[in-house]
Amino acid sequence: MTSEGKRAEITFRIKESEIYRGEVFLHDISPYLMDEELKVEDFLVILFMDFLKRETPAKP
């Protein structure tokens, strides 16, 4: 196995209004991000990875 790890591409639909809500949320928390710039896409990846981590049982 290479050091790159596994990759997957996921496509999903989301309402435009929900994207705007995400942008407002990121704008609201931006003072706390210490000059880190997050896009809605980055935020969705973080949420999805957190979901997978919680739903995947730990390996023995």
Coordinates of all heavy atoms in Angstrom, one line a residue:
M1 N 0.8 -1.2 0.0 CA 0.0 0.0 0.0 C 0.9 1.2 0.0 O 1.9 1.3 0.7 CB -0.9 0.0 1.2 CG -1.9 1.1 1.3 SD -3.0 0.9 2.7 CE -4.2 2.1 2.3
T2 N 0.5 2.2 -0.8 CA 1.3 3.5 -0.8 C 1.0 4.3 0.4 O 0.1 4.1 1.1 CB 0.9 4.2 -2.1 OG1 -0.4 4.7 -2.0 CG2 1.1 3.4 -3.4
S3 N 1.9 5.3 0.6 CA 1.7 6.3 1.7 C 0.5 7.3 1.4 O 0.2 8.0 2.3 CB 3.0 7.0 1.9 OG 3.3 7.8 0.8
E4 N 0.0 7.3 0.2 CA -1.1 8.2 -0.1 C -2.4 7.9 0.6 O -3.2 8.7 0.9 CB -1.3 8.3 -1.6 CG -0.2 8.9 -2.3 CD -0.5 9.0 -3.8 OE1 -1.7 9.1 -4.2 OE2 0.5 9.0 -4.6
G5 N -2.6 6.6 0.9 CA -3.9 6.2 1.5 C -5.0 6.0 0.4 O -4.7 6.2 -0.8
K6 N -6.2 5.7 0.9 CA -7.3 5.5 0.0 C -8.0 6.8 -0.2 O -8.1 7.7 0.7 CB -8.2 4.5 0.6 CG -7.6 3.1 0.7 CD -8.6 2.2 1.3 CE -7.9 0.8 1.4 NZ -8.8 -0.2 2.0
R7 N -8.7 7.0 -1.4 CA -9.4 8.2 -1.7 C -10.8 7.7 -2.3 O -10.9 6.7 -2.8 CB -8.7 9.0 -2.8 CG -7.4 9.6 -2.3 CD -6.9 10.5 -3.4 NE -7.8 11.5 -3.7 CZ -7.6 12.8 -3.6 NH1 -6.4 13.2 -3.1 NH2 -8.5 13.7 -3.9
A8 N -11.8 8.6 -2.1 CA -13.1 8.4 -2.6 C -13.7 9.7 -3.0 O -13.3 10.8 -2.4 CB -14.0 7.7 -1.5
E9 N -14.6 9.7 -4.0 CA -15.2 10.9 -4.4 C -16.7 10.7 -4.2 O -17.3 9.7 -4.6 CB -15.0 11.2 -5.9 CG -15.6 12.5 -6.4 CD -15.2 12.8 -7.8 OE1 -14.0 12.7 -8.1 OE2 -16.1 13.2 -8.5
I10 N -17.4 11.6 -3.6 CA -18.8 11.5 -3.3 C -19.5 12.8 -3.9 O -19.0 13.9 -3.7 CB -19.0 11.5 -1.7 CG1 -18.3 10.3 -1.2 CG2 -20.5 11.5 -1.4 CD1 -18.3 10.2 0.3
T11 N -20.6 12.5 -4.5 CA -21.4 13.6 -5.1 C -22.7 13.6 -4.4 O -23.3 12.5 -4.2 CB -21.6 13.3 -6.6 OG1 -20.3 13.2 -7.3 CG2 -22.4 14.4 -7.3
F12 N -23.2 14.7 -4.0 CA -24.5 14.8 -3.4 C -25.1 16.2 -3.8 O -24.5 17.1 -4.2 CB -24.4 14.6 -1.9 CG -23.6 15.7 -1.2 CD1 -24.2 16.8 -0.6 CD2 -22.2 15.5 -1.0 CE1 -23.4 17.7 0.1 CE2 -21.5 16.4 -0.4 CZ -22.1 17.6 0.2
R13 N -26.4 16.2 -3.6 CA -27.2 17.5 -3.8 C -27.5 18.2 -2.5 O -27.8 17.5 -1.5 CB -28.4 17.2 -4.6 CG -28.2 16.6 -5.9 CD -29.5 16.3 -6.6 NE -29.3 15.5 -7.8 CZ -30.0 15.6 -8.9 NH1 -31.1 16.4 -8.9 NH2 -29.7 14.9 -9.9
I14 N -27.4 19.5 -2.6 CA -27.7 20.3 -1.4 C -28.4 21.6 -1.9 O -28.0 22.1 -2.9 CB -26.4 20.6 -0.6 CG1 -26.8 21.3 0.7 CG2 -25.4 21.4 -1.3 CD1 -25.6 21.3 1.7
K15 N -29.4 22.0 -1.1 CA -30.1 23.2 -1.5 C -29.2 24.4 -1.4 O -28.3 24.5 -0.6 CB -31.3 23.4 -0.5 CG -32.4 22.4 -0.6 CD -33.5 22.7 0.3 CE -34.6 21.7 0.3 NZ -35.6 22.0 1.3
E16 N -29.5 25.3 -2.4 CA -28.7 26.6 -2.4 C -28.8 27.3 -1.1 O -27.8 27.9 -0.6 CB -29.2 27.4 -3.6 CG -28.3 28.6 -3.8 CD -28.7 29.4 -5.1 OE1 -29.6 28.9 -5.8 OE2 -28.2 30.4 -5.3
S17 N -30.0 27.3 -0.5 CA -30.2 28.0 0.8 C -29.3 27.4 1.9 O -28.8 28.1 2.8 CB -31.6 28.0 1.2 OG -32.1 26.6 1.4
E18 N -29.0 26.1 1.8 CA -28.2 25.5 2.8 C -26.7 25.9 2.6 O -26.0 26.0 3.6 CB -28.3 23.9 2.8 CG -29.7 23.5 3.1 CD -30.2 23.8 4.6 OE1 -29.3 23.8 5.5 OE2 -31.4 24.1 4.7
I19 N -26.3 26.0 1.4 CA -25.0 26.5 1.1 C -24.8 27.9 1.7 O -23.8 28.2 2.3 CB -24.7 26.5 -0.4 CG1 -24.7 25.1 -1.0 CG2 -23.4 27.2 -0.7 CD1 -23.6 24.2 -0.5
Y20 N -25.8 28.8 1.5 CA -25.7 30.1 2.1 C -25.6 30.1 3.6 O -24.9 30.9 4.2 CB -26.9 31.0 1.6 CG -26.8 31.3 0.1 CD1 -28.0 31.3 -0.6 CD2 -25.7 31.6 -0.5 CE1 -28.0 31.6 -2.0 CE2 -25.6 31.8 -1.9 CZ -26.8 31.8 -2.6 OH -26.7 32.1 -4.0
R21 N -26.4 29.2 4.2 CA -26.3 29.0 5.7 C -24.9 28.7 6.1 O -24.4 29.2 7.1 CB -27.3 28.0 6.2 CG -28.7 28.5 6.3 CD -29.6 27.4 6.8 NE -29.3 27.1 8.2 CZ -29.7 26.1 8.9 NH1 -30.6 25.2 8.3 NH2 -29.4 25.9 10.1
G22 N -24.3 27.8 5.3 CA -22.9 27.4 5.7 C -22.0 28.5 5.5 O -21.1 28.7 6.3
E23 N -22.2 29.4 4.5 CA -21.3 30.5 4.3 C -21.5 31.5 5.5 O -20.5 32.1 5.9 CB -21.6 31.2 3.0 CG -21.1 30.4 1.8 CD -21.5 31.0 0.5 OE1 -22.4 31.9 0.4 OE2 -20.9 30.6 -0.6
V24 N -22.7 31.7 5.9 CA -22.9 32.6 7.0 C -22.3 32.1 8.3 O -21.6 32.8 9.1 CB -24.4 32.9 7.2 CG1 -24.7 33.6 8.5 CG2 -25.0 33.6 6.1
F25 N -22.4 30.8 8.5 CA -21.8 30.1 9.7 C -20.3 30.3 9.7 O -19.7 30.7 10.7 CB -22.2 28.7 9.7 CG -21.5 27.9 10.8 CD1 -21.8 28.1 12.1 CD2 -20.4 27.1 10.5 CE1 -21.1 27.4 13.1 CE2 -19.7 26.4 11.5 CZ -20.1 26.5 12.8
L26 N -19.7 30.1 8.5 CA -18.2 30.2 8.4 C -17.8 31.7 8.7 O -16.8 31.9 9.3 CB -17.7 29.7 7.1 CG -17.8 28.2 6.9 CD1 -17.4 27.8 5.5 CD2 -17.0 27.4 8.0
H27 N -18.6 32.6 8.1 CA -18.3 34.0 8.4 C -18.4 34.3 9.9 O -17.6 35.1 10.4 CB -19.3 34.9 7.6 CG -19.1 36.3 7.8 ND1 -19.7 37.0 8.8 CD2 -18.2 37.2 7.2 CE1 -19.3 38.3 8.7 NE2 -18.4 38.4 7.8
D28 N -19.4 33.8 10.5 CA -19.6 34.1 12.0 C -18.5 33.5 12.8 O -18.1 34.1 13.8 CB -20.9 33.5 12.4 CG -22.1 34.3 11.9 OD1 -21.9 35.4 11.4 OD2 -23.3 33.7 12.0
I29 N -17.9 32.4 12.4 CA -16.8 31.8 13.3 C -15.4 32.2 12.8 O -14.5 31.9 13.5 CB -16.9 30.3 13.3 CG1 -16.7 29.6 12.0 CG2 -18.3 29.8 13.9 CD1 -16.5 28.1 12.0
S30 N -15.4 33.0 11.7 CA -14.0 33.3 11.2 C -13.1 34.1 12.2 O -11.9 33.9 12.2 CB -14.2 34.2 9.9 OG -14.8 35.4 10.1
P31 N -13.7 34.9 13.1 CA -12.8 35.5 14.1 C -12.0 34.5 15.0 O -11.0 34.8 15.6 CB -13.7 36.4 14.9 CG -14.9 36.6 14.1 CD -15.0 35.4 13.2
Y32 N -12.6 33.3 15.1 CA -12.0 32.3 16.0 C -11.1 31.3 15.2 O -10.6 30.4 15.9 CB -13.1 31.5 16.7 CG -14.1 32.4 17.4 CD1 -15.3 32.7 16.8 CD2 -13.7 33.0 18.6 CE1 -16.2 33.6 17.5 CE2 -14.6 33.8 19.3 CZ -15.8 34.1 18.7 OH -16.7 35.0 19.3
L33 N -10.9 31.4 13.9 CA -10.2 30.5 13.1 C -8.7 30.8 13.0 O -8.0 30.1 12.3 CB -10.8 30.3 11.8 CG -12.2 29.7 11.7 CD1 -12.7 29.7 10.3 CD2 -12.2 28.3 12.3
M34 N -8.2 31.9 13.7 CA -6.8 32.2 13.7 C -6.3 32.3 12.2 O -5.3 31.6 11.9 CB -6.0 31.3 14.5 CG -6.4 31.3 16.0 SD -5.5 30.1 17.0 CE -6.2 28.6 16.5
D35 N -6.9 33.1 11.4 CA -6.5 33.4 10.0 C -6.6 32.1 9.1 O -6.0 32.1 8.0 CB -5.1 34.0 9.9 CG -5.0 35.3 10.6 OD1 -6.0 36.1 10.5 OD2 -4.0 35.7 11.2
E36 N -7.2 31.1 9.6 CA -7.4 29.9 8.7 C -8.7 30.2 7.9 O -9.7 30.7 8.4 CB -7.7 28.7 9.6 CG -7.8 27.4 8.8 CD -6.5 26.9 8.2 OE1 -5.5 27.1 8.9 OE2 -6.5 26.3 7.2
E37 N -8.5 29.9 6.6 CA -9.7 30.2 5.7 C -10.3 28.9 5.3 O -9.7 28.0 4.8 CB -9.2 30.9 4.4 CG -10.3 31.4 3.5 CD -9.8 32.2 2.4 OE1 -8.9 33.0 2.6 OE2 -10.3 32.0 1.2
L38 N -11.6 28.8 5.6 CA -12.4 27.6 5.3 C -13.5 27.9 4.3 O -14.1 29.0 4.3 CB -13.1 27.0 6.5 CG -12.3 26.2 7.5 CD1 -13.2 25.8 8.7 CD2 -11.7 25.0 6.9
K39 N -13.6 27.0 3.3 CA -14.7 27.2 2.3 C -15.8 26.2 2.8 O -15.6 25.3 3.6 CB -14.2 26.8 0.9 CG -13.2 27.7 0.4 CD -12.7 27.3 -1.0 CE -11.9 26.1 -0.9 NZ -11.3 25.6 -2.1
V40 N -17.0 26.4 2.2 CA -18.1 25.5 2.5 C -17.7 24.0 2.2 O -18.0 23.1 3.0 CB -19.4 25.9 1.8 CG1 -20.5 24.9 1.9 CG2 -19.9 27.3 2.3
E41 N -17.0 23.8 1.1 CA -16.6 22.5 0.7 C -15.7 21.9 1.8 O -15.9 20.7 2.1 CB -15.8 22.5 -0.6 CG -16.7 22.9 -1.8 CD -16.7 24.4 -2.0 OE1 -16.4 25.2 -1.1 OE2 -17.1 24.8 -3.2
D42 N -14.8 22.7 2.3 CA -13.9 22.2 3.4 C -14.7 21.8 4.6 O -14.5 20.7 5.3 CB -12.9 23.2 3.8 CG -12.0 23.7 2.7 OD1 -11.7 22.8 1.8 OD2 -11.6 24.9 2.6
F43 N -15.7 22.6 5.0 CA -16.6 22.4 6.1 C -17.4 21.1 5.9 O -17.5 20.3 6.8 CB -17.5 23.6 6.3 CG -18.4 23.5 7.5 CD1 -17.9 23.3 8.8 CD2 -19.8 23.5 7.3 CE1 -18.7 23.3 9.9 CE2 -20.6 23.5 8.4 CZ -20.1 23.3 9.7
L44 N -17.9 20.8 4.7 CA -18.6 19.6 4.5 C -17.7 18.4 4.6 O -18.2 17.3 5.1 CB -19.3 19.7 3.1 CG -20.4 20.7 2.9 CD1 -20.9 20.8 1.5 CD2 -21.6 20.3 3.8
V45 N -16.5 18.5 4.1 CA -15.6 17.4 4.2 C -15.3 17.1 5.7 O -15.3 15.9 6.1 CB -14.2 17.7 3.5 CG1 -13.2 16.6 3.9 CG2 -14.5 17.7 2.0
I46 N -15.1 18.1 6.5 CA -14.9 17.9 8.0 C -16.1 17.2 8.6 O -15.9 16.2 9.4 CB -14.6 19.2 8.7 CG1 -13.3 19.8 8.2 CG2 -14.7 19.1 10.2 CD1 -13.0 21.2 8.6
L47 N -17.3 17.7 8.3 CA -18.5 17.0 8.8 C -18.6 15.6 8.4 O -19.0 14.7 9.2 CB -19.7 17.8 8.4 CG -20.0 19.2 9.0 CD1 -21.1 19.9 8.4 CD2 -20.2 19.0 10.5
F48 N -18.4 15.3 7.1 CA -18.5 13.9 6.6 C -17.5 13.0 7.2 O -17.8 11.9 7.6 CB -18.4 13.9 5.1 CG -18.7 12.6 4.5 CD1 -20.0 12.1 4.5 CD2 -17.7 11.8 4.0 CE1 -20.2 10.8 4.0 CE2 -17.9 10.6 3.4 CZ -19.2 10.1 3.4
M49 N -16.2 13.5 7.4 CA -15.2 12.7 8.0 C -15.5 12.4 9.4 O -15.3 11.3 9.9 CB -13.8 13.4 7.8 CG -13.3 13.5 6.4 SD -13.2 12.0 5.5 CE -11.8 11.2 6.4
D50 N -16.1 13.4 10.1 CA -16.5 13.2 11.5 C -17.6 12.1 11.6 O -17.6 11.3 12.5 CB -16.9 14.5 12.1 CG -17.3 14.3 13.6 OD1 -16.4 14.0 14.4 OD2 -18.5 14.6 13.9
F51 N -18.5 12.2 10.7 CA -19.6 11.2 10.6 C -19.1 9.8 10.4 O -19.4 8.9 11.1 CB -20.6 11.6 9.5 CG -21.6 10.5 9.2 CD1 -22.7 10.3 10.0 CD2 -21.4 9.7 8.1 CE1 -23.6 9.3 9.7 CE2 -22.3 8.7 7.8 CZ -23.4 8.5 8.6
L52 N -18.1 9.7 9.5 CA -17.5 8.3 9.2 C -16.8 7.8 10.4 O -16.9 6.6 10.7 CB -16.6 8.4 8.0 CG -17.3 8.6 6.6 CD1 -16.2 8.7 5.6 CD2 -18.2 7.5 6.3
K53 N -16.1 8.7 11.1 CA -15.3 8.3 12.3 C -16.2 7.8 13.4 O -15.9 6.8 14.0 CB -14.5 9.5 12.8 CG -13.5 9.1 13.8 CD -12.6 10.3 14.1 CE -11.5 9.9 15.1 NZ -10.7 11.0 15.5
R54 N -17.4 8.4 13.6 CA -18.3 8.0 14.6 C -19.0 6.7 14.2 O -19.4 6.0 15.1 CB -19.3 9.1 14.9 CG -18.7 10.3 15.7 CD -19.7 11.3 16.1 NE -20.0 12.2 15.0 CZ -21.2 12.6 14.6 NH1 -22.2 12.2 15.3 NH2 -21.3 13.4 13.6
E55 N -19.3 6.5 12.9 CA -20.0 5.4 12.5 C -19.2 4.1 12.2 O -19.7 3.0 12.1 CB -20.8 5.7 11.2 CG -21.9 6.8 11.4 CD -22.9 6.4 12.4 OE1 -23.4 5.2 12.3 OE2 -23.4 7.2 13.2
T56 N -17.9 4.3 12.1 CA -17.0 3.2 11.9 C -16.5 2.6 13.2 O -15.9 3.3 14.0 CB -15.8 3.6 11.0 OG1 -16.3 4.3 9.8 CG2 -14.9 2.5 10.6
P57 N -16.7 1.3 13.4 CA -16.2 0.7 14.6 C -14.7 0.7 14.6 O -14.1 0.5 13.6 CB -16.8 -0.8 14.6 CG -17.3 -1.0 13.3 CD -17.5 0.3 12.6
A58 N -14.1 0.8 15.8 CA -12.7 0.8 15.9 C -12.1 -0.6 15.6 O -12.7 -1.6 15.9 CB -12.3 1.2 17.3
K59 N -10.9 -0.6 15.0 CA -10.2 -1.9 14.6 C -9.6 -2.4 15.9 O -9.0 -1.6 16.7 CB -9.2 -1.6 13.5 CG -9.8 -1.3 12.2 CD -8.8 -1.1 11.1 CE -9.4 -0.7 9.8 NZ -8.4 -0.5 8.8
P60 N -9.6 -3.7 16.1 CA -9.0 -4.3 17.3 C -7.5 -4.2 17.2 O -6.8 -4.1 16.3 CB -9.5 -5.8 17.2 CG -10.0 -6.0 15.9 CD -10.3 -4.7 15.2

